[in-house]
Amino acid sequence: MKKILKSDNWYLKCGIFITGFILIVILIGQFWTPYDSGYMDGAARLEGPSFAHIFGTDNFGRDILSRVIEGTGTTFLVSFCINLIGLLAGTMIGAAAGYRGGLFDDLLMRICDAITAFPNVMLALVIIAVFGSGDLNIIWVLGILFIPSYARIVRSQFVQQKSCNYVQMAKLMGASPLRIIFVHILPNIYSTLLPAATIGFNNAVLAEASMSFLGVGVSANKPSLGRMLNEAQSFLVGGAPWYAAFVGLAIVLLVMGLSLLGEGLQKEQLRGKK
Amino acid sequence: MLDVKDLRVQFLTSPHKWAVDGVSFHMDEGEMIGIVGESGCGKTVTAMSLSGLLKKKDVRYEGTVKLDGREMLDTDRDNIRNLQGTSLAVVFQEPLSALDPIMKVGPQVEEAIMVHHPEISPEDRKKMAFEAMENSGLYDLENVYESYPHQLSGGMLQRICIAAAIISKPRLLIADEPTTALDVTTQAHILELLKRINREQGTGIIMISHNLAVVNALCSRIIVMKGGKIVEDGPAYQIRNNPRHEYTKQLIAAIPTREKKYR
Ligand SMILES: Nc1ncnc2c1ncn2[C@@H]1O[C@H](COP(=O)(O)OP(=O)(O)OP(=O)(O)O)[C@@H](O)[C@H]1O
Ligand SMILES: [Mg+2]
């Protein structure tokens, strides 16, 4: 921790600060928000920012700040799950393909290529149009669509590492492929994977927001940043521009924090290699 | 103990050339033999075939390699894996790259035990590691055990590699130019160490080097290779005093001696 405070890596510092701040707000939001995010105050519709409602109210008279806090939590959690699925499955597939090599590798990588050929959000929309948007469908669908990018990174690292002498040495000690993959190679590529995972998280946030903006996010009664932005757009001109502004600000902050974190980690890793 | 008959190895990437071209030799239990020859003559490839490190899909083999009567070339991966780290161990030229950069060296010494004897408790395993490290001439063991490879000197790292190799008391140790990356003083120490391991533990050692002087001082028997073939094989004194092959004579002439230096 001290090392981070002292370092001149401003990306990392700002990233940790912003993301940490958001995390704390989300955590507090789990137990307390200024108002109940579902409570509608008919007397106070589309009110501008005031002391009572710092971010103002929406068209049903709900407190926007409370909804933004909860929505950020939803978006964060959903993106986290999406990213986790992509990361875990992508790592397994990439490790197997890279370590094994040959036809097996080719096959897996071509499948990944095929998936990446389409934009994630578009493909997700098609799949959800076919299978319907259940509560958790979006998590699975986007999670699976996130697999190829991780698989590729992990694969290329494995191809590089498996010819290293230390891997040969472990083989000569009789270590099994599974042991070599998990005990020897994976820890060695951790420093490459971490920034990638952070940037992936960032993409997951954007994907989730886009999906719920298009109306196919998680269940409708939970506030989520994308869905709120969708609702806010009808009042952008005339009615209540601050609505969209505050929701947008939350998205920007979340994405900026994560991408700064990712950039920072990547810089730190490059520096470590020197 | 080790019986190599007419071993030929060909890389599929260069299909017209045998990297090892008909090598045969026999090695007795506890013997220490040296293999010398110029760069690219196939020493490493020979060693790698003996240790089962070459992949079937990269190379073509002919001939047989028998370790304790067991065929090494034709068995499947699992069988070889059972031999690796128990009957057979290898020490590489570059100690730093042979170790996992982000794992403490202590656990790396224990690797063979961890893999082949998972039933041994961590405490006992650590004891074995300490013993192997001590036998490899390391001291301040507690500290060294907790170090990462980049924190240790080349000589110490090579000792770690040797400790990792001898922890399971293998019957055959292959050392592929174990001292090339080290300075002269450290070289001498490591060579002494290998000699001692051979004498005290009865480990058969194949010492690969391009330096005839090194091998000569250490080994009772020397094999001279050239272009993938064995050109001479005999007791060290015979090779030194009475070389039969022209190439061996050249190698001997290449050893710097005091007279030459001061002439
Ligand atoms: N991976 C490989 N692919 C193709 N050919 C190879 C490969 N490794 C070695 N060879 C060939 O095998 C021959 C023997 O190489 P080897 O590494 O055994 O030499 P060496 O005697 O160990 O030399 P050095 O003293 O430099 O270590 C070389 O001529 C090389 O062309
Ligand atoms: Mg070599």
Side-chain angles (χ1 to χ4, degrees):
Chain A
M1 202 63 216
K2 249 188 206 147
K3 221 173 92 195
I4 291 167
L5 280 178
K6 265 192 210 149
S7 88
D8 54 349
N9 190 336
W10 282 99
Y11 287 90
L12 193 60
K13 271 200 240 182
C14 296
I16 287 177
F17 179 75
I18 297 174
T19 312
F21 170 74
I22 292 172
L23 268 177
I24 289 170
V25 170
I26 289 173
L27 268 183
I28 293 174
Q30 295 305 305
F31 305 106
W32 177 86
T33 44
Y35 293 83
D36 180 344
S37 65
Y39 172 69
M40 304 181 197
D41 183 356
R45 288 189 187 158
L46 289 175
E47 272 187 2
S50 66
F51 283 114
H53 302 280
I54 296 175
F55 282 7
T57 57
D58 69 2
N59 50 324
F60 295 111
R62 295 177 296 194
D63 180 49
I64 292 177
L65 176 61
S66 307
R67 289 180 67 73
V68 164
I69 292 176
E70 254 198 64
T72 309
T74 312
T75 300
F76 195 89
L77 189 69
V78 171
S79 320
F80 185 82
C81 294
I82 291 170
N83 200 35
L84 198 66
I85 293 171
L87 181 65
L88 289 182
T91 304
M92 298 294 152
I93 292 173
Y99 189 76
R100 189 83 194 284
L103 201 65
F104 180 69
D105 177 24
D106 284 341
L107 189 73
L108 283 176
M109 284 306 114
R110 288 304 83 74
I111 295 175
C112 287
D113 285 348
I115 295 178
T116 1
F118 302 95
N120 272 351
V121 171
M122 196 190 92
L123 205 56
L125 276 178
V126 172
I127 296 174
I128 285 189
V130 174
F131 292 103
S133 65
D135 235 9
L136 300 175
N137 270 5
I138 178 188
I139 295 180
W140 282 113
V141 171
L142 281 179
I144 290 169
L145 294 181
F146 268 66
I147 293 174
S149 64
Y150 285 117
R152 252 199 227 117
I153 296 171
V154 172
R155 175 193 171 268
S156 73
Q157 289 290 315
F158 262 79
V159 168
Q160 216 178 65
Q161 299 280 331
K162 78 172 172 186
S163 57
C164 283
N165 276 338
Y166 77 90
V167 174
Q168 303 288 327
M169 187 76 179
K171 268 189 199 162
L172 271 172
M173 294 293 170
S176 64
L178 279 181
R179 183 177 165 81
I180 292 177
I181 290 175
F182 286 104
V183 178
H184 293 288
I185 302 185
L186 262 186
N188 268 292
I189 66 169
Y190 167 77
S191 63
T192 317
L193 213 49
L194 189 63
T198 320
I199 293 165
F201 197 161
N202 192 6
N203 293 335
V205 169
L206 286 174
E208 194 278 337
S210 324
M211 294 295 282
S212 36
F213 181 81
L214 296 169
V216 286
V218 280
S219 70
N221 45 27
K222 252 192 169 327
S224 122
L225 293 179
R227 186 182 306 280
M228 287 166 70
L229 199 60
N230 183 9
E231 285 162 9
Q233 68 175 339
S234 6
F235 311 105
L236 201 53
V237 189
W242 59 84
Y243 187 2
F246 285 127
V247 176
L249 188 73
I251 296 179
V252 168
L253 215 58
L254 190 54
V255 170
M256 196 167 74
L258 286 170
S259 50
L260 282 175
L261 197 61
E263 286 277 325
L265 288 170
Q266 211 154 37
K267 280 205 163 48
E268 204 67 7
Q269 184 223 346
L270 285 179
R271 194 176 314 175
K273 272 200 180 138
K274 262 177 223 160
Chain B
M1 177 179 64
L2 178 72
D3 220 344
V4 182
K5 271 217 182 71
D6 209 24
L7 173 70
R8 291 155 153 259
V9 184
Q10 184 175 64
F11 284 89
L12 296 185
T13 45
S14 49
H16 300 296
K17 182 181 151 221
W18 292 97
V20 175
D21 192 3
V23 165
S24 306
F25 65 93
H26 175 84
M27 184 181 169
D28 286 322
E29 184 94 46
E31 213 181 347
M32 185 159 184
I33 66 175
I35 300 182
V36 282
E38 66 195 355
S39 235
C41 70
K43 305 183 298 283
T44 300
V45 176
T46 306
M48 290 196 5
S49 340
L50 300 188
S51 54
L53 206 55
L54 294 174
K55 286 225 184 86
K56 283 235 171 66
K57 62 172 195 248
D58 297 334
V59 293
R60 221 175 84 207
Y61 289 116
E62 272 176 28
T64 56
V65 174
K66 283 210 170 86
L67 180 61
D68 292 330
R70 267 170 304 189
E71 175 59 54
M72 290 290 287
L73 295 184
D74 277 337
T75 51
D76 56 78
R77 286 293 316 156
D78 286 340
N79 273 334
I80 292 183
R81 214 178 284 139
N82 282 335
L83 290 176
Q84 289 170 336
T86 54
S87 297
L88 173 142
V90 178
V91 175
F92 283 113
Q93 173 174 353
E94 270 283 342
L96 182 59
S97 72
L99 294 167
D100 190 334
I102 62 165
M103 200 175 179
K104 287 179 181 165
V105 296
Q108 297 197 56
V109 171
E110 294 169 3
E111 179 85 9
I113 301 299
M114 203 114 107
V115 168
H116 295 288
H117 300 284
E119 75 281 357
I120 293 179
S121 74
E123 295 80 41
D124 289 348
R125 210 162 58 212
K126 193 164 175 180
K127 261 186 221 133
M128 295 172 81
F130 273 40
E131 195 193 323
M133 283 158 72
E134 198 170 359
N135 285 338
S136 307
L138 288 159
Y139 44 90
D140 193 13
L141 300 180
E142 285 287 348
N143 263 331
V144 172
Y145 186 93
E146 298 291 334
S147 307
Y148 288 94
H150 67 266
Q151 295 169 321
L152 301 176
S153 70
M156 287 171 96
L157 288 173
Q158 196 56 290
R159 286 174 196 274
I160 290 287
C161 290
I162 292 173
I166 64 172
I167 190 170
S168 54
K169 307 229 175 356
R171 289 151 45 76
L172 175 62
L173 177 69
I174 301 174
D176 189 356
E177 311 197 24
T179 59
T180 311
L182 306 173
D183 68 78
V184 186
T185 328
T186 321
Q187 258 184 36
H189 289 153
I190 296 287
L191 293 175
E192 262 167 44
L193 169 64
L194 287 172
K195 184 80 211 171
R196 211 181 67 217
I197 288 168
N198 170 250
R199 221 174 25 231
E200 289 174 5
Q201 307 193 1
T203 312
I205 297 184
I206 297 182
M207 169 86 194
I208 295 176
S209 174
H210 48 238
N211 188 339
L212 186 60
V214 163
V215 168
N216 189 14
L218 223 58
C219 306
S220 49
R221 206 177 111 212
I222 295 176
I223 292 173
V224 183
M225 281 183 74
K226 182 171 196 277
K229 291 194 172 72
I230 293 184
V231 293
E232 199 156 353
D233 175 358
Y237 63 86
Q238 183 193 319
I239 302 270
R240 184 176 58 231
N241 298 328
N242 193 10
R244 296 212 192 92
H245 198 275
E246 201 49 43
Y247 180 65
T248 318
K249 286 179 190 160
Q250 287 171 18
L251 277 180
I252 292 173
I255 301 175
T257 60
R258 192 166 292 170
E259 297 94 82
K260 276 188 206 156
K261 238 188 246 163
Y262 292 111
R263 195 157 50 187

